[in-house]
Amino acid sequence: MDRGQPPRPGAGAVDRPPHGPARPALRGAARVGGGGVTAHGTAHGTAHGTDHGTAHDTALGAAVGTVLGTVERLRRHPVKSLLGEDVRESAVDGRGLAGDRARALLDVTTGRIASAKHPRLWAALLGYTAATVDGGVTITGPDGRAVDEAELSEALGRKVALIAERPPGASLERSVPEEVLAHGIDEEVDFTVTELGRAAPDGGFFDFAPLHLITTSTLHATAAEAERYRPNLVIHTDGEGYVENAWVGHDLAIGPTLRLRIVAPSPRCAVPTLRHGPLPRHPDALRTPAARNRRIPLPGMPALPCAGVYATVLTPGRITLGDEVTLLN
């Protein structure tokens, strides 16, 4: 998502974006772990050769009306943190693609949303697929057989409930990705807690914004499959490197009516490194952008490994495979 969450200056320290740092409490932040909440300094260390640009510091260098790319894939995730489905076209409104992240699994014990961002507890979610069927959702297991809540709970070892309405203050746990890389997905590492959907309208189970875009240029740069980053739109582009970094702060037209605003780069968590259905673990899906594409999503955040960008919807419309993506400003 999966999707990160830019901070509000001075916001509470334990509210860390799912793919980003804790919302900064000036120079410190808080981490939640097995030993409780402890203070630590905000990390600003960088890898050699890493790009540490801010969200708005890359000149796009393209004229209004320039076609930046075309829509190569459309991805919908009917249940948060489960595998999703490809679609050929979709309506798009303020809540993103129709049916995207419309449901989630609630951890009945903690009252939080189940998310593979905490892989020790929930990595197995990425072995299950959610599909939209007749206006509802069907969940199938690794063997392709449909499962219900009881079977899911038994397989996951925790009681879960499928919900379609986001509870007030809904939150999830996000393991510190560097610690997951260092110690493995089965170890108990520090995690943070973040509230969902701060840049999305009410409804749905978005980490931050209702749409996530990634380009084929970025996928080539990371040598990772699109499914690992859980985007809604995969945009075919001809450039090299993380070309969508330059789109932040600009408005785009897709197809005849849809208009988007690109609001922030997408910081990455440990999810891209995990098994996704038949795809094996791939630690470099995080390590590569950590070494080559650290960005500052918004002022007040440290430089983070990013891949893709977040968007909000200015004008609803329909989107279809092959639609051109055009620069508006």
Side-chain angles (χ1 to χ4, degrees):
M1 78 333 76
D2 279 341
R3 301 171 184 180
Q5 188 162 309
R8 299 165 298 170
V14 295
D15 189 8
R16 180 186 293 261
H19 297 290
R23 295 178 178 270
L26 298 180
R27 299 186 63 81
R31 300 163 77 179
V32 184
V37 179
T38 58
H40 74 293
T42 302
H44 292 276
T46 62
H48 177 72
T50 296
D51 182 353
H52 284 180
T54 64
H56 299 279
D57 71 353
T58 303
L60 185 51
V64 170
T66 298
V67 176
L68 301 176
T70 56
V71 178
E72 181 171 286
R73 293 181 70 184
L74 289 172
R75 295 282 297 168
R76 175 170 59 200
H77 302 86
V79 178
K80 182 173 181 58
S81 256
L82 301 192
L83 300 179
E85 56 189 353
D86 278 278
V87 296
R88 294 191 57 81
E89 61 179 349
S90 177
V92 181
D93 60 18
R95 291 174 60 173
L97 264 68
D100 184 55
R101 293 166 171 93
R103 292 170 172 81
L105 293 170
L106 181 72
D107 183 342
V108 175
T109 301
T110 65
R112 291 176 179 152
I113 302 302
S115 170
K117 294 177 182 65
H118 194 160
R120 184 176 64 83
L121 297 182
W122 301 113
L125 292 175
L126 293 170
Y128 291 83
T129 300
T132 303
V133 179
D134 297 329
V137 169
T138 297
I139 298 174
T140 54
D143 60 359
R145 185 177 59 84
V147 297
D148 58 20
E149 289 179 3
E151 292 170 299
L152 265 176
S153 298
E154 182 177 358
L156 296 169
R158 300 177 72 90
K159 187 174 182 180
V160 295
L162 184 65
I163 59 174
E165 183 174 345
R166 191 173 78 204
S171 63
L172 55 76
E173 297 171 355
R174 173 188 181 272
S175 295
V176 177
E178 294 82 359
E179 294 191 13
V180 175
L181 283 175
H183 303 294
I185 64 173
D186 296 322
E187 294 299 315
E188 186 169 345
V189 300
D190 288 353
F191 64 86
T192 53
V193 178
T194 188
E195 186 174 339
L196 296 180
R198 291 186 179 274
D202 290 340
F205 294 89
F206 305 105
D207 294 333
F208 176 55
L211 285 174
H212 175 216
L213 291 70
I214 199 166
T215 65
T216 55
S217 298
T218 287
L219 295 175
H220 292 155
T222 62
E225 301 87 349
E227 286 82 354
R228 295 185 181 278
Y229 297 112
R230 302 176 63 80
N232 298 117
L233 281 68
V234 177
I235 308 300
H236 178 83
T237 47
D238 293 329
E240 295 184 358
Y242 303 84
V243 298
E244 63 268 43
N245 288 345
W247 300 356
V248 176
H250 294 276
D251 297 344
L252 306 181
I254 303 182
T257 58
L258 181 64
R259 303 293 181 264
L260 306 180
R261 176 160 295 160
I262 308 301
V263 295
S266 176
R268 308 316 315 190
C269 66
V271 167
T273 73
L274 304 177
R275 290 180 58 91
H276 285 63
L279 298 178
R281 291 203 65 207
H282 188 14
D284 284 348
L286 175 60
R287 287 177 177 151
T288 298
R292 301 177 182 174
N293 194 50
R294 285 185 178 266
R295 312 293 297 172
I296 299 173
L298 287 177
M301 297 181 77
L304 301 169
C306 291
V309 290
Y310 291 123
T312 56
V313 178
L314 300 177
T315 305
R318 292 195 68 81
I319 189 168
T320 302
L321 295 181
D323 280 347
E324 292 184 339
V325 179
T326 304
L327 179 66
L328 291 179
N329 64 15

